[in-house]
Amino acid sequence: MHKVIFDTDPGVDDAMALLFLHRHPEIDLVGITTVFGNASVDTTTRNALFLKREWGIAAPVAKGEGKTWDPMRNPVDWPVLIHGHDGLGNIDVPETIDLPVDGRPAHRFIIDTVRANPGEVTLIAVGRMSNLAYALKEDPEIAGLVKQVIIMGGAFDVPGNITPAAEANIHGDPEAADVVMTAPWKVVVVGLDVTMQTVMTRTRLARIVERGGKDAKLLSDISQFYIDFYGRHVEDGMVVHDSCACVYLVAPELFTTRSGAIRVVAGGIADGQTIQKPDSRHFPPGNWDDIPSQLACTGIEAEMVINLIEKTLVRQG
Ligand code: BDR
Ligand code: CA
């Protein structure tokens, strides 16, 4: 069983990833931590509670601080054209959900859970990297106690999606992302290089609804607005960014990876760009020296990944 903390900004594709984690038989979801990104942290936390209630998820929800690493960045713009004003595709999520939030901030929840389960917890981070960076700042020793960190974010050999250089999750808090990428823990980055190839068509989602019951119906309702947006970029479907990171956990053989130190640009026109120095390449001394090699995904068996997502989403709980 894989113990997982899901650090997320729900978010439409986050919702699909959450249902995947909930339904997968080899995954034990031990916590959901929320971060700003697709909406404010108040909204993403409310959305996490809503999905927890609707899907009967046992894992506690801990709310992030809602702050970037560098206070000057001060996030205020949310991608309402992609995820809707409510962050879940404008389905009219109730304003408040009658479920408690964990008493600890997200980063403290991460520290406590990792310390209680040394060597066992995988962090899957699919929003800004802020919570993970705060956890490392408060308790650097957790780097040696986490099993692995799987990130949806970044763009290595392809353009970004928020600027030509940067992907949204990394661009939203680049300083935090650099802290996370350069820490002495095992990181796998599932970025746009592979997620942009992974499309759930409307037809396939309809098939999932037929077999997946009311949980799948809610997921489909949430997803329609996002599909309408992505329809401009991919044919009749949605890119399933965040689910790809979850699939990596249970089926890493469906990905090709490249090993090397990863740094994140902070400031300037390439703000938020992820750059890897492949282990096979040698350069004069510089900013990629003496930090751990991490894995960046460079290839994906997209059809097999989508098949696995479908198979998992239609499992009855
Ligand atoms: C990432 O940004 C968010 O909009 C998505 O949920 C995903 O995590 C894609 O760049
Ligand atoms: Ca996300």
Side-chain angles (χ1 to χ4, degrees):
M1 239 2 191
H2 301 279
K3 285 190 168 58
V4 170
I5 296 176
F6 187 46
D7 189 72
T8 177
D9 59 336
V12 174
D13 59 318
D14 303 70
M16 181 181 282
L18 179 61
L19 190 57
F20 178 92
L21 294 172
H22 176 52
R23 287 274 173 99
H24 197 283
E26 290 157 28
I27 292 174
D28 176 14
L29 183 60
V30 296
I32 301 166
T33 51
T34 58
V35 67
F36 59 93
N38 290 326
S40 72
V41 75
D42 287 340
T43 300
T44 61
T45 306
R46 186 274 313 264
N47 291 351
L49 290 172
F50 171 70
L51 296 171
K52 172 181 158 78
R53 185 186 77 185
E54 296 300 306
W55 289 338
I57 296 173
V61 172
K63 183 180 176 184
E65 301 273 28
K67 292 184 302 203
T68 45
W69 184 268
D70 176 350
M72 298 304 286
R73 287 194 181 265
N74 192 20
V76 282
D77 280 340
W78 316 118
V80 294
L81 291 177
I82 308 174
H83 295 267
H85 289 279
D86 61 2
L88 288 180
N90 289 340
I91 56 158
D92 285 335
V93 183
E95 294 241 327
T96 54
I97 307 295
D98 191 18
L99 279 182
V101 179
D102 192 275
R104 295 160 287 185
H107 67 279
R108 192 68 233 177
F109 176 90
I110 291 171
I111 293 167
D112 291 349
T113 309
V114 167
R115 284 212 168 262
N117 302 273
E120 286 185 35
V121 176
T122 294
L123 306 178
I124 300 183
V126 300
R128 278 46 173 166
M129 298 300 127
S130 325
N131 292 334
L132 274 61
Y134 289 135
L136 283 168
K137 184 178 179 191
E138 189 161 315
D139 187 354
E141 282 179 13
I142 62 161
L145 303 172
V146 165
K147 189 169 182 193
Q148 66 173 329
V149 182
I150 306 174
I151 288 170
M152 188 284 128
F156 293 90
D157 305 337
V158 297
N161 60 0
I162 188 103
T163 75
E167 180 280 332
N169 285 343
I170 305 299
H171 186 263
D173 197 349
E175 288 84 1
D178 194 56
V179 169
V180 170
M181 304 285 189
T182 57
W185 54 12
K186 184 178 166 199
V187 177
V188 183
V189 186
V190 183
L192 298 180
D193 303 69
V194 296
T195 65
M196 284 303 292
Q197 300 175 41
T198 317
V199 178
M200 170 78 69
T201 61
R202 232 187 258 271
T203 316
R204 195 191 276 257
L205 191 58
R207 198 161 73 209
I208 290 173
V209 173
E210 278 170 23
R211 296 173 53 214
K214 72 173 191 15
D215 293 0
K217 172 73 171 66
L218 175 60
L219 179 66
S220 169
D221 290 348
I222 289 170
S223 302
Q224 296 306 317
F225 184 84
Y226 182 92
I227 292 177
D228 290 343
F229 171 83
Y230 264 102
R232 300 178 215 159
H233 302 272
V234 294
E235 212 189 309
D236 187 36
M238 60 186 279
V239 178
V240 296
H241 300 291
D242 293 349
S243 296
C244 288
C246 304
V247 170
Y248 182 91
L249 174 69
V250 289
E253 68 281 1
L254 300 182
F255 298 77
T256 17
T257 56
R258 184 174 66 207
S259 177
I262 297 173
R263 297 298 311 263
V264 179
V265 177
I269 62 167
D271 197 28
Q273 185 175 25
T274 45
I275 305 177
Q276 185 182 43
K277 182 187 94 60
D279 288 337
S280 56
R281 294 289 303 270
H282 296 282
F283 298 90
N287 293 320
W288 282 258
D289 296 344
D290 304 322
I291 50 176
S293 289
Q294 312 291 13
L295 296 180
C297 290
T298 52
I300 186 167
E301 296 288 347
E303 187 64 17
M304 290 165 89
V305 167
I306 287 287
N307 286 342
L308 178 55
I309 294 170
E310 175 173 350
K311 190 171 138 208
T312 306
L313 293 182
V314 300
R315 279 185 84 245
Q316 293 302 328

